[in-house]
């Protein structure tokens, strides 16, 4: 099996709080992996260890290994800026910059030193097309991104993420603030993107997990209770706690 990410015995602490406990998980290339579980069970903390976003919190410390393409991302030699280019992130609430639509998508390219105007224009167009947004915004690229609808803003954030050509896209409940039509557009987009990217999505929505993912991990109280092919997790889970959660008995 060709794994893009391998997490081995990961423990995460904030001060004395033990948030993740001996978490091990392998993430396949070019597949959508869903992380499910009740609020506060460690899902978001987990994905934030995969691009070292937790490093921004002073009290964060971790034990265990996180390997990306076989290399430890917490090795002191790792360039964190480069890592976050390889492992992009889309947040729960759309967070466009207060800039034009064009400048939002071009931002990461410029940060990473691309100055050629033609290359930037081509990348912006390609990324907006890949995010299924080009037809809606091509005539107003110089307009503020803040004028877009919530669903459009979230697709813009996805375009901004893929513009720098990451290997992995982390999505932390990307549809929780969106209406059903926008949610469907994001889910369709995830299906199209998975052939080029490894995608990890945190979701509270059980139906969404079954619709978009091939593999699912169930988190509870900072531990992975069970992981496996999505259809098996939802049709014949091995652990009673998984069954209780997906059938709505708690969470």
């Amino acid at each position: 099996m060709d794994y893009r990410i391998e997490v081995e015995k990961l423990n995460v602490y904030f001060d004395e709080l033990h948030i993740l406990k001996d978490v091990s998980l392998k993430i396949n290339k070019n597949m959508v992996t869903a992380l499910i579980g009740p609020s506060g069970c460690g899902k978001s903390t987990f994905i934030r260890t995969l691009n070292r976003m937790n490093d921004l919190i002073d009290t964060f410390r971790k034990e265990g290994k996180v390997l990306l393409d076989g290399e430890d991302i917490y090795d002191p030699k790792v360039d964190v800026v480069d890592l976050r280019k390889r492992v992009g992130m889309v947040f729960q609430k759309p967070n466009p910059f207060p800039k034009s639509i064009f400048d939002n998508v071009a931002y990461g390219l410029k940060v990473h030193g691309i100055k050629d105007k033609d290359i930037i224009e081509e990348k912006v167009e390609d990324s907006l097309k890949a995010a299924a947004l080009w037809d809606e915004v091509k005539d107003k690229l110089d307009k503020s991104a803040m004028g877009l609808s919530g669903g459009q803003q979230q697709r813009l954030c996805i375009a901004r993420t893929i513009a720098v050509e990451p290997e992995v896209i982390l999505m932390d409940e990307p549809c929780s603030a969106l209406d059903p039509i926008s949610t469907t557009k994001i889910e369709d987009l995830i299906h199209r993107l998975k052939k080029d990217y490894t995608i990890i999505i945190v979701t509270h929505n059980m139906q969404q997990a079954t619709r978009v993912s091939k593999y699912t991990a169930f988190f509870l109280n900072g531990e992975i209770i069970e992981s496996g092919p999505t259809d098996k997790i939802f049709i014949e889970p091995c652990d009673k706690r998984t069954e209780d959660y997906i059938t709505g008995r708690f969470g």
Side-chain angles (χ1 to χ4, degrees):
M1 190 65 79
D2 209 3
Y3 297 116
R4 174 123 282 164
I5 294 173
E6 295 172 83
V7 178
E8 299 170 6
K9 291 198 173 306
L10 177 67
N11 286 273
V12 168
Y13 305 83
F14 294 114
D15 268 341
E16 299 308 308
L17 279 176
H18 192 178
I19 306 293
L20 293 177
K21 301 159 189 167
D22 273 344
V23 169
S24 295
L25 186 65
K26 291 181 166 72
I27 307 283
N28 290 312
K29 285 183 179 175
N30 298 83
M31 188 184 285
V32 182
T33 299
L35 310 180
I36 62 170
S39 292
C41 67
K43 307 182 297 292
S44 293
T45 298
F46 176 75
I47 64 166
R48 291 167 75 93
T49 61
L50 304 181
N51 68 347
R52 293 185 54 175
M53 288 287 284
N54 288 322
D55 291 24
L56 303 171
I57 299 167
D58 291 343
T59 57
F60 165 75
R61 63 189 172 90
K62 75 122 189 77
E63 300 158 355
K65 280 196 171 163
V66 181
L67 307 178
L68 174 64
D69 295 332
E71 294 177 2
D72 186 350
I73 68 169
Y74 284 87
D75 187 296
K77 296 193 291 287
V78 167
D79 179 333
V80 178
V81 173
D82 182 57
L83 171 70
R84 291 187 189 138
K85 176 176 179 281
R86 295 173 66 196
V87 185
M89 189 152 187
V90 177
F91 294 90
Q92 185 169 359
K93 289 198 174 78
N95 61 338
F97 304 135
K99 298 171 177 283
S100 71
I101 293 166
F102 183 93
D103 286 341
N104 263 272
V105 184
Y107 178 82
L109 300 168
K110 292 173 180 173
V111 165
H112 290 288
I114 296 174
K115 295 188 174 70
D116 187 308
K117 201 158 162 278
D118 292 338
I119 291 175
I120 290 172
E121 283 182 5
E122 185 182 338
K123 286 270 188 203
V124 167
E125 181 174 338
D126 288 348
S127 302
L128 288 167
K129 282 178 175 171
L133 192 58
W134 175 251
D135 289 340
E136 295 166 47
V137 302
K138 62 186 178 189
D139 299 323
K140 47 183 178 184
L141 295 176
D142 57 341
K143 297 281 194 296
S144 171
M146 311 314 279
L148 296 173
S149 71
Q152 289 174 321
Q153 287 186 3
Q154 193 63 300
R155 279 182 284 147
L156 180 69
C157 293
I158 293 170
R160 188 175 70 199
T161 299
I162 61 183
V164 296
E165 299 179 1
E167 297 162 34
V168 179
I169 301 175
L170 310 174
M171 296 185 164
D172 193 357
E173 299 211 38
C175 302
S176 66
L178 304 180
D179 62 83
I181 291 170
S182 298
T183 295
T184 300
K185 286 185 176 176
I186 299 287
E187 289 180 4
D188 290 345
L189 179 53
I190 290 168
H191 281 298
R192 285 200 298 277
L193 292 175
K194 69 186 175 192
K195 68 180 191 301
D196 297 314
Y197 304 96
T198 300
I199 298 173
I200 303 166
I201 179 169
V202 170
T203 180
H204 269 112
N205 184 325
M206 299 298 101
Q207 289 76 26
Q208 182 170 73
T210 59
R211 285 192 299 261
V212 303
S213 73
K214 193 82 182 280
Y215 198 89
T216 294
F218 169 54
F219 280 71
L220 187 63
N221 299 328
E223 299 176 54
I224 290 184
I225 302 301
E226 188 171 348
S227 66
T230 297
D231 50 7
K232 183 177 186 311
I233 293 282
F234 280 87
I235 294 165
E236 46 176 349
C238 298
D239 193 289
K240 178 82 167 63
R241 291 167 293 180
T242 313
E243 184 182 342
D244 286 349
Y245 179 71
I246 62 179
T247 54
R249 292 200 186 105
F250 73 94

